[in-house]
Amino acid sequence: MRARSFKPRPAALPAALVLIATALLVDGGVASAHLGSPDVFFEGNAGPYPLLVTIRPPEVIPGVAVVDVQAPDDQLGLVTLVPTPLRGPGAVLPPTADVAHAEVGDPHRFSAKLWFMASGSWQVRVHVDGPRGAGDLAVPVPALALRTKTMQRGLGLGLAALLAFLVAGMISIVGASVRDAALEPGQQADGQRRRRSRVAQTVAAAVLTALVLGGATWWGDEASGYGQNVYKPLALQASTAVGGDGVITLSLTLTDPGWAKSRRLDDLVPDHDHLMHLYVVRVPAMDVVAHLHPDQGQPGKFQRALPALPPGDYQLFADIVHQTGLAETATTIVTLPAAKGGGPIGDDALGTGRALAADAATTRAFRMPDGGQVVWLGGDSADPLRAGRTTWFRFRVDGADGKPATDVTPYMGMAGHAAFIKDDRSVFAHIHPSGSVSMATLALIESGNGSGVSADPHAAHKGHAGHHAAALPPEIAFPYACPKPGLYRIVVQFKRGDVIQTAFFSARVD
Ligand SMILES: [Cu+2]
């Protein structure tokens, strides 16, 4: 995706109007978060209760986040929610929690709106009470200003007309009072009074103009100050070099286009043992996908020898996590020349599927090269995918014998990794069975909140499970909501025995 700029609109409208309109601000334009998928999905246990939490962070800060808590198995009595910073003193002394309200007609769903007053790494603490006692869960959320709200054109024009009317009215009142105030009833103003009236009107016009312009300048400063806070993703530059062995080395450089001073490039922390998770996606077909783990040389500089990829254009999506808990995705396009390429190494994976455009509708099964199959369960035509609705995307891995696989093992500590990519590449999300939160961020929350509230211990242990390769169930499920309608590629990666496999699906979202 191309980074959109979120420049504040020039102060085209006089300040007075803008002030009035602030109270009436309405959504204008399409919001584009960095990589278009700002919502947080999190599956975890609050005490005995498995919960699925969806958080839609505000696009402007301060702003309101919508939090949705689903408890599929339980009738909960009480759900309370409180946002706190991820770490630091604010995490130890949370404010009073808000009570989430049960959704009408669905006793398993609760929702609430929470204010996020400042940008940064936050968490939402969920406390639940039910028939089996109480439980707590903490969900990390990045609160980032993603854009400056703009005014609707019609509203702006209406307010401009109102301002013109008020200014003209003020000038004519001043003129009339100077001309006529001291006259007896029925008496006509003489030439001198008329002249004085004109002078007074000129002065009034000058004063009002100065007021309006001064206000506009002040507002412009405020807006550009806010504009500095609007999130700007890291920029990514990619270059390739073919070595003597015919293998392409991909070099990546992350640069900071200027945003929060606290963002650094030398503070990256490993997530699933890797500083960077890089998806290399052939475009526009999205039929070849590699999931690689480049090594960092200097801060912000990464390299990887590429596996055998057909020549062409590739979109790169690079996931990194900062020490502050902020997870980011940087993206760019690179053109790969024809080259030999080594095989995938370590946790790297490479897969090939059908072109996305060839699947106009949702696909239900993917045949693996080894004769096995991955089947997408549920989500049938009776239950179509809807933009913005959190759904479990469930997949079953079958062996070549047609039976559910018995040898699924953790791949980088997870039962599976899924990438959701919209056909126009305006959306990219890397999702795990525990949701969209990076394991590195979860580890930070556990070490940093000092409150004894643990982030889901079960999810945290998934992070270590990779070290003992116990067989996992053949079903892998990912909680996600496609943020907007359209055609999506879903790339599902998992491990059977020692072999990493990649399955391709298409999803039509209404
Ligand atoms: Cu992953």
Side-chain angles (χ1 to χ4, degrees), residues 272 291 417 430 432:
H272 316 306
H291 178 173
H417 297 247
H430 179 168
H432 301 132

Side-chain angles (χ1 to χ4, degrees), residues 25 75 152 179 207 258 287 297 309 317 411 488 500:
L25 275 179
Q75 294 268 359
Q152 284 182 331
R179 190 183 62 225
V207 168
D287 54 348
L309 292 161
F317 300 98
Y411 170 37
Y488 288 76
I500 304 162

Side-chain angles (χ1 to χ4, degrees), residues 86-87 120-121 262-263 267 269 321-327 441 444:
L86 192 63
R87 317 183 75 171
S121 291
S262 59
R263 179 167 67 182
D267 71 340
V269 292
V321 182
H322 295 274
Q323 204 174 0
T324 54
L326 174 69
T441 308
L444 286 172

